[in-house]
Amino acid sequence: MHKYRTHTCAELNRGQTDETVRLSGWVHRIRDHGGVLFVDLRDHYGITQVLADPDSEVFTDVEQLKAEFVICIEGEVRLRDPELVNSKISTGEIEVFIRKLEILGAAEDLPLPVFGEPDYPEETRLKYRFIDLRRQSLHDRIVLRSKVISWIRNRMESQGFMDFQTPILTASSPEGARDFLVPSRLHPGNFYALPQAPQQFKQLIMIAGFDRYFQISPCFRDEDPRADRSPGEFYQLDVEMSFATQEDVFREIEPVMRGVFEEFGGGKPVTKEFPQITYREAMLTYGTDKPDLRNPIKMQIVSEHFKESGFRIFANLLKVKGNEIRAIPAPGGGSRRFCDRMNSFAQGEGLPGMGYIFWRVEDGKVVGAGPLANNIGTDRTEAIRQQLGLDAGDSAFFLGGKPSGFVHVAAKARDVMANELNLIDRDRFELCWIKDFPLFERDEETGELDFSHNPFSMPQGELEALENNDPLAVLGYQYDIVCNGVELSSGAVRNHKLEILYKVFEIVGYDKDFVDTNFSGMVNAFRYGAPPHAGIAPGIDRIIMLLTNQENIREVILFPLNQRAEDLMLGAPSVPTNEALRDLGLRVVKK
């Protein structure tokens, strides 16, 4: 017989009745029923009920047990009485009568309970994460994470991708966030950088002649934390393909992303074919490039209905080039009380308010009501209703001016309306591609051109577009995957031609020497035969968040940092010793 166990705590059933078995695990819960001690014994796999009565030789020892003691028991498997069967666990038909007991690891009083999973302060949970991880819900999420990653690896390999590992100690990358720097002992005064992403390496893998690469890669960015982004590090499915177009990436990655949600999403419906939505369309229709397509509300431009209308605020706005009026339809929101709440919401977001119209039946006709409807008249109000496809009992809200000034509020308002009106089907996964991002944007403060997204993407139209078109009209072969309003990944067709790379940087004011100096590795590689290549990098942490319906990314990471980027369990970051600093030729200067 094995020293610690013949079975796990999830294996025993009526087929082992009367057998002598050995189990090991943690004391999950102890109950005293009329002098008989029942212990729920827990391991990684499940729970088995074990017991001892006063006639047992180990009864006194069982009395000494406390929650989370690690024990090994030996005993006989018995069937439970029919009325005592526990259908909630796999071992619920049996129990084990303890004959021998060994305490493998005693436990002090717990800083947080494992049984029952009450809500506990996050700082306590992170400091004692090894205990927190024993709680079933968190334990299950981490197990799911492992299964998802394993599934993804198998799927990528089945599609011809090869798993390569890229360096952790490297040079600064052009990703745009702050680097974590690692001082070099052998080269005093010089520093490595932890990779913000394997971007340059995966492109170099393509230039080296490999065709399809993937990696579940760690990425390190010295950024402020937020609910969907872990401070310090995160993991992504890093992918790159040679001789690939944007459509090739879509064709290879879409079944992987759809498959993982179908496999692990608990049977919830998943988008069969991902809609391809342009950035321009997304910003117009949803007010964001991360739209939640479970929300059916779509915004529309309604400027023509307000030109030279009796509503002077909008009529005057439309005299300024670049201004427009957008409508947010609210099916079922046709009450003055709802309209007033939404108007207050807009004021809370820093706007003067939102104009609104709500429709009702009067004398057998659907008519618009509210101050805005009174100002623009019956015909314009009816034209708006027809354009938006609304009816009695519905409403619409209006925002005007330069879209960049109100679109963020419009996006929030769309979500608030859908939530209040119960328009969102939350039991589904709606995925889409967002594509055709602008390559450049103008800084509103300085008026200077800058990169809008990734400067290393191939511009649509290539060099000809850069030389002949307005830079603000140039689009990149850039794309995101969005699921339920969460950005899962960014990707792009890479710019592999030096003359285009130099031109892209020239447009925003950087000369050839800047590019050669700051991106020497890539520039050098492009000189020796670079194939067209493209890639993408879906975030593993965010995928698990969606699958487990969690709002905080720390709930799906094994050992996360807190919001101040601290490891409370091991005490990082910490002050180095003077000897360590001397070896590195460093000294710490306090602010």
Side-chain angles (χ1 to χ4, degrees), residues 535-556:
I536 195 168
I540 297 295
D541 307 311
R542 291 183 182 178
I543 291 172
I544 308 300
M545 278 182 68
L546 286 168
L547 289 172
T548 57
N549 196 31
Q550 296 299 306
E551 296 183 357
N552 193 311
I553 204 163
R554 287 183 287 280
E555 294 298 329
V556 299

Side-chain angles (χ1 to χ4, degrees), residues 35-260:
V36 179
L37 297 176
F38 292 87
V39 177
D40 288 341
L41 188 63
R42 183 194 76 245
D43 65 5
H44 167 78
Y45 304 96
I47 289 177
T48 298
Q49 178 174 282
V50 301
L51 70 149
D53 61 26
D55 295 330
S56 170
E57 294 180 4
V58 296
F59 184 81
T60 303
D61 295 330
V62 175
E63 283 186 309
Q64 308 306 312
L65 297 179
K66 295 193 298 184
E68 298 308 299
F69 269 46
V70 182
I71 63 174
C72 177
I73 68 100
E74 186 178 311
E76 293 94 36
V77 180
R78 297 178 177 177
L79 283 177
R80 296 195 196 190
D81 293 335
E83 65 274 15
L84 299 178
V85 169
N86 183 355
S87 60
K88 295 180 180 179
I89 59 176
S90 61
T91 60
E93 289 186 301
I94 59 90
E95 56 193 10
V96 178
F97 189 82
I98 305 173
R99 295 297 185 188
K100 295 180 181 179
L101 169 68
E102 180 183 0
I103 295 175
L104 303 176
E108 297 179 4
D109 291 340
L110 299 174
L112 72 163
V114 175
F115 175 75
E117 302 203 16
D119 190 21
Y120 247 67
E122 186 177 70
E123 297 295 286
T124 302
R125 293 182 59 201
L126 293 180
K127 183 176 181 180
Y128 298 97
R129 188 64 165 184
F130 50 90
I131 297 176
D132 195 35
L133 285 164
R134 297 177 190 174
R135 301 208 284 182
Q136 196 61 51
S137 59
L138 181 54
H139 190 91
D140 288 345
R141 289 196 289 272
I142 300 303
V143 169
L144 176 67
R145 181 188 180 102
S146 174
K147 292 179 178 179
V148 167
I149 290 174
S150 178
W151 186 93
I152 288 173
R153 288 187 194 278
N154 291 333
R155 183 60 184 259
M156 295 301 293
E157 288 174 352
S158 74
Q159 292 181 205
F161 289 85
M162 303 188 75
D163 188 357
F164 298 128
Q165 290 73 51
T166 52
I168 297 299
L169 293 178
T170 181
S172 290
S173 77
E175 292 296 311
R178 294 186 186 92
D179 287 320
F180 281 104
L181 299 178
V182 180
S184 170
R185 180 181 60 83
L186 298 177
H187 304 279
N190 292 300
F191 294 80
Y192 302 101
L194 302 182
Q196 295 184 32
Q199 183 63 47
Q200 295 189 72
F201 286 112
K202 69 177 179 179
Q203 290 189 247
L204 290 167
I205 289 171
M206 299 300 102
I207 295 170
F210 299 93
D211 197 67
R212 292 187 168 199
Y213 143 93
F214 86 98
Q215 180 185 186
I216 307 297
S217 62
C219 302
F220 305 89
R221 298 182 186 179
D222 190 3
E223 295 179 311
D224 295 333
R226 62 188 189 205
D228 64 348
R229 182 174 65 196
S230 178
E233 63 183 283
F234 60 93
Y235 283 80
Q236 64 188 29
L237 167 60
D238 206 52
V239 180
E240 200 74 15
M241 303 164 57
S242 281
F243 305 106
T245 65
Q246 177 173 281
E247 290 302 322
D248 291 326
V249 175
F250 291 0
R251 185 170 54 252
E252 293 296 328
I253 298 303
E254 186 168 318
V256 177
M257 300 306 296
R258 180 172 54 246
V260 77

Side-chain angles (χ1 to χ4, degrees), residues 20 25 111 138 148 161 170 177 281 308 440 462 486 501 547:
T20 298
L138 181 54
V148 167
F161 289 85
T170 181
E281 179 188 351
E308 301 178 353
F440 304 101
E462 300 193 7
V486 176
L501 187 64
L547 289 172

